[in-house]
Amino acid sequence: MTGRAAPTCLALSGGVGGAKLALGLSRVLPPEALVVVANTGDDFEHFGLLICPDIDTVTYTLAGVSNTETGWGRAGESWNAMEALAALGGETWFRLGDRDLALHLERTRRIAAGESLSAVTTDLARRLGIGACIVPASDQPVRTVVETPDGPLPFQHYFVREQCRPRVTGFRFAGADAAMPSPAFAAALAGGVSAVVICPSNPFISIDPILAVPGVRQALRDCGAPVVAVSPIVAGRAIKGPTAKMMAELGLAGGAVEVARHHRGLIDGFVLDRSDAESAAAVEQLGIAALVTGTVMETLDDKTRLAEEVLAFARSLGAR
Ligand code: FO1
């Protein structure tokens, strides 16, 4: 970091939607002014490898090598290892492409050699040509456990093996009590944050595991920067993933307002899609400023424009 630290935008990201806005932010901010904090609640050990899906989705997306059909893994993948594994009777419910496997092998090797998840994540992002800082929320494990009527499920068992079918009765974040914010996350929180952007990610499984790290929620409130969340719900539905289904199963009213309510007390502003414009008043009644714009990100221009609008919205709130 040269001289005075650039005022930093902290982006909290999980899943596909989070990665899309993180990409937009990386295109409108200088590299030293963006810290992307990736959710680690989806992480798990599989085949003896440490798999970090939300770190990898945002890393591959900013590197321009993500598989945009599936929303995870790499573009142009081959599946020889998986095919050979199937022939040997191995587990193939969680699919790891050949190129993706290289990342898991190398990350697992380096962590076994004593490096922190932050150090490995930062270096691998650099090797993939990314200038912005991507770090896990914590270097200690924080793993989402999905509670269901038939008992708790590790996240990937719920999300992939059971394909989100089980009814959700709650979430736990195993390890959160013993976790600390990762060094770059803590440093950003400690000084020089200009805006905090909660990307359009599932509030329960992508954002709450980050906020469950002791001290994070309070540090976000105290960091002096406006906190703005972008709704992952558009016209009552999640663009991708089980957010709306989870809200219904948790007995919540649903809709974009429910997400704003979920973040109440933490966020200063909430960004709604035009299809939910009628909900802006309800958001404002929660004491949260509302911005209505196009939040569906299909093209790179969509991502860049939304990033610019979100940062301008945050600045307008910060000036208050
Ligand atoms: N999601 C699936 O639905 N099926 C898979 O086989 C699968 C494999 C996979 C491999 C690497 C990786 O980083 C992500 C992967 N995901 C898969 C997505 C993963 O479940 C993520 O946790 C979700 O994207 C939610 O964030």
Side-chain angles (χ1 to χ4, degrees), residues 82-99:
M82 278 286 117
E83 282 158 26
L85 192 62
L88 294 172
E91 283 187 86
T92 56
W93 60 272
F94 194 82
R95 301 185 52 65
L96 291 169
D98 298 328
R99 287 177 179 74

Side-chain angles (χ1 to χ4, degrees), residues 121-194:
T121 302
T122 304
D123 185 56
L124 293 178
R126 184 181 57 76
R127 289 171 183 274
L128 284 166
I130 297 169
C133 174
I134 300 175
V135 285
S138 174
D139 285 339
Q140 293 77 42
V142 178
R143 303 279 166 86
T144 301
V145 175
V146 182
E147 286 164 347
T148 79
D150 300 328
L153 280 175
F155 179 77
Q156 295 301 342
H157 289 199
Y158 163 78
F159 192 87
V160 181
R161 206 184 60 187
E162 310 307 326
Q163 298 178 344
C164 303
R165 278 191 300 265
R167 183 161 62 83
V168 171
T169 56
F171 302 96
R172 272 189 297 114
F173 306 117
D177 294 346
M180 295 182 295
S182 57
F185 187 17
L189 286 169
V193 182
S194 60

Side-chain angles (χ1 to χ4, degrees), residues 56-57 59-76:
D56 296 352
T57 295
T59 299
Y60 287 150
T61 300
L62 268 64
V65 298
S66 64
N67 182 323
T68 50
E69 277 82 57
T70 55
W72 49 266
R74 289 189 68 146

